[in-house]
């Protein structure tokens, strides 16, 4: 039986498992069983930006409904494609479902891209499926960490590159909102290695001890301590939370000392957003990872870019494995697992959904 987890595009709280017709491949297509996928705050960001950035278009659903993408590992169970074999495994962007139909193109030892017509106008980075092989950084021991952290680390890596390429916009302090988020502490992990950069984490009071325990932030402040930020230090702010109140307070408090303000995600998905209001200081930017990945591939070459991700993520997993308790959930319990994610979970937890 095929099942899809669907949400209301108008209200992310309204979600359910829905039965669907089992998938069969036409010529040139394959069916993959989604063995496991990760659930993080990043998935909520996909839902929040579903219309704005096209996330609902990757895996279409009935009118008014959406299928939030996730990052996971899938195995080919049916193949009508000469170059993709039953049993082959791939990592990439998958729906919260137990199976998915794809049209592989550009097949190589590296993997393939999904050439389905409905995805033709979407960012090509999200259409790539990496073969689960040692050459791509998969060793069989870190599959869960790959699902939870790989794309988040890629985001962190490109953000770190972006700020370094711009000399941190003349700032000496990097302020990271939602410092307990995995993308947040991935960026802190990398930026903490750059000389002359002070890394400050902002987090909720309940997560402050966890963030301090990571050992990669020079200073950790709770959101109610924003006004303790040093107004004499040129700073940049990375907004992982999407919390407009916190953003406004930072801009107001730092004023001209704030040299750049960049939004990435929306871990505070239910926080008020008044985007029409003007803010003191720099106009906030939005960091869209696929655009930067294309630029870096052009700079480093595909093989060079892949190698940076494999080497960097492998080193990061060595540290992050001590920061994450992996929680495994059955796909049949998806509704309860998703609801708990919306309510907020411990930053220590990493959630993996398995379909078998």
């Amino acid at each position: 039986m095929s099942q899809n987890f669907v949400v209301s595009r108008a209200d992310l709280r309204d979600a359910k498992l829905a039965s669907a017709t089992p998938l069969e491949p036409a010529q040139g297509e394959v069916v993959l069983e989604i063995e496991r996928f990760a659930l993080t705050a990043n998935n909520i960001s996909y839902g929040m930006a579903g219309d704005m950035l096209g996330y609902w278009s990757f895996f279409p659903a009935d009118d008014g409904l959406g299928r939030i993408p996730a990052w996971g590992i899938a195995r080919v169970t049916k193949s009508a494609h000469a170059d993709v074999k039953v049993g082959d495994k791939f990592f990439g962007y998958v729906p919260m479902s137990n199976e998915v139909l794809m049209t592989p193109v550009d097949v190589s030892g590296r993997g393939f891209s999904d050439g389905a017509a409905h995805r033709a106008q979407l960012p090509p980075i999200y259409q790539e499926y990496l073969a689960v092989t040692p050459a791509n950084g998969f060793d069989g021991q870190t599959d869960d960490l790959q699902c939870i952290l790989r794309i988040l680390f890629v985001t962190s890596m490109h953000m770190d590159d972006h700020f370094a390429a711009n000399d941190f916009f003349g700032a000496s302090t990097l302020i990271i909102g939602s410092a307990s988020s995995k993308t947040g502490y991935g960026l802190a992990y990398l930026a903490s290695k750059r000389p002359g950069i002070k890394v400050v984490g902002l987090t909720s009071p309940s997560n402050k001890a966890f963030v301090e325990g990571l050992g990669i932030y020079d200073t950790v402040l709770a959101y109610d301590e924003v006004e303790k930020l040093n107004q004499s230090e040129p700073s940049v702010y990375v907004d992982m939370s999407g919390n407009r109140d916190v953003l406004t307070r930072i801009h107001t408090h730092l004023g001209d000392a704030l040299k750049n303000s960049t939004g990435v995600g929306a871990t505070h998905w239910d926080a008020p957003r008044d985007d029409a209001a003007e803010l003191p200081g720099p106009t906030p930017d939005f960091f869209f990872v696929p655009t930067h990945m294309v630029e870096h591939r052009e700079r480093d070459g595909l093989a060079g870019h892949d190698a940076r991700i494999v080497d960097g993520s492998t080193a990061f997993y060595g540290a992050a494995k001590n920061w994450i308790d992996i929680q495994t959930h059955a796909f049949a319990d998806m509704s309860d697992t998703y609801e708990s994610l919306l309510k907020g979970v411990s930053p220590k937890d990493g959630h993996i959904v398995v379909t078998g």
Side-chain angles (χ1 to χ4, degrees):
M1 180 176 66
S2 186
Q3 286 188 303
N4 301 319
F5 186 72
V6 295
V7 305
S8 167
R9 292 166 60 163
D11 183 0
L12 295 184
R13 300 176 187 85
D14 185 4
K16 63 181 180 180
L17 269 177
S19 297
T21 303
L23 300 173
E24 293 293 335
Q27 187 61 38
E29 296 179 336
V30 298
V31 174
L32 299 97
E33 177 189 23
I34 301 166
E35 293 188 345
R36 63 190 57 238
F37 59 85
L39 281 180
T40 71
N42 200 42
N43 301 107
I44 306 305
S45 294
Y46 293 148
M48 290 291 295
D51 290 311
M52 180 177 68
L53 297 180
Y55 290 119
W56 297 130
S57 300
F58 282 96
F59 308 106
D62 293 338
D63 288 348
L65 298 177
R67 297 164 73 188
I68 296 177
W71 292 90
I73 292 175
R75 177 176 57 87
V76 178
T77 55
K78 302 173 186 177
S79 178
H81 193 294
D83 299 321
V84 182
K85 308 301 182 187
V86 170
D88 289 348
K89 283 190 178 185
F90 299 91
F91 168 85
Y93 217 38
V94 297
M96 296 180 186
S97 304
N98 61 344
E99 61 176 3
V100 62
L101 182 73
M102 293 188 181
T103 307
V105 296
D106 300 327
V107 180
S108 69
R110 181 178 183 268
F112 67 84
S113 292
D114 185 7
H118 71 273
R119 298 176 72 165
Q121 303 305 313
L122 298 169
I125 299 298
Y126 287 140
Q127 300 180 35
E128 295 181 348
Y129 293 85
L130 294 175
V132 177
T133 61
N136 285 330
F138 296 87
D139 60 8
Q141 305 301 310
T142 59
D143 285 356
D144 288 343
L145 285 175
Q146 296 277 10
C147 293
I148 293 169
L149 291 176
R150 185 165 179 135
I151 192 60
L152 303 182
F153 177 79
V154 168
T155 301
S156 301
M157 185 185 83
H158 283 90
M159 290 207 71
D160 178 64
D161 283 349
H162 170 68
F163 283 110
N166 288 280
D167 196 25
F168 283 79
F169 299 91
S172 57
T173 298
L174 171 65
I175 304 166
I176 300 175
S178 197
S180 67
S181 69
K182 294 169 179 62
T183 310
Y185 65 63
L187 176 58
Y189 167 84
L190 294 169
S192 66
K193 301 179 183 300
R194 294 195 177 275
I197 298 299
K198 177 181 178 181
V199 184
V200 176
L202 296 180
T203 189
S204 64
S206 60
N207 290 337
K208 188 174 181 180
F210 169 81
V211 176
E212 289 173 334
L214 298 176
I216 52 178
Y217 291 94
D218 295 288
T219 303
V220 179
L221 298 174
Y223 290 122
D224 57 9
E225 298 176 305
V226 162
E227 284 70 27
K228 291 184 179 180
L229 290 168
N230 193 330
Q231 294 172 299
S232 66
E233 294 178 351
S235 301
V236 293
Y237 177 53
V238 178
D239 182 12
M240 302 277 185
S241 70
N243 187 315
R244 185 69 182 193
D245 175 65
V246 173
L247 180 68
T248 299
R249 287 168 58 207
I250 289 171
H251 275 251
T252 301
H253 177 67
L254 293 180
D256 291 340
L258 188 63
K259 303 304 180 184
N260 178 268
S261 178
T262 296
V264 185
T267 59
H268 295 187
W269 67 274
D270 54 352
R273 287 168 174 79
D274 180 15
D275 294 330
E278 293 186 3
L279 293 171
T283 301
D285 298 325
F286 180 74
F287 190 88
F288 190 50
V289 182
T291 301
H292 290 269
M293 288 186 72
V294 170
E295 292 173 355
H296 282 254
R297 286 182 174 186
E298 291 175 350
R299 183 193 71 188
D300 300 333
L302 179 60
H305 183 260
D306 283 351
R308 285 194 64 215
I309 291 173
V310 170
D311 292 346
S313 61
T314 300
F316 179 56
Y317 298 159
K321 67 182 181 182
N322 300 311
W323 304 336
I324 297 177
D325 288 333
I326 295 176
Q327 310 290 319
T328 302
H329 310 273
F331 186 59
D333 299 328
M334 184 64 204
S335 294
D336 291 340
T337 305
Y338 174 79
E339 183 179 356
S340 70
L341 184 69
L342 287 180
K343 291 178 179 177
V345 295
S346 167
K348 182 75 172 172
D349 292 341
H351 295 276
I352 292 289
V353 176
V354 295
T355 63

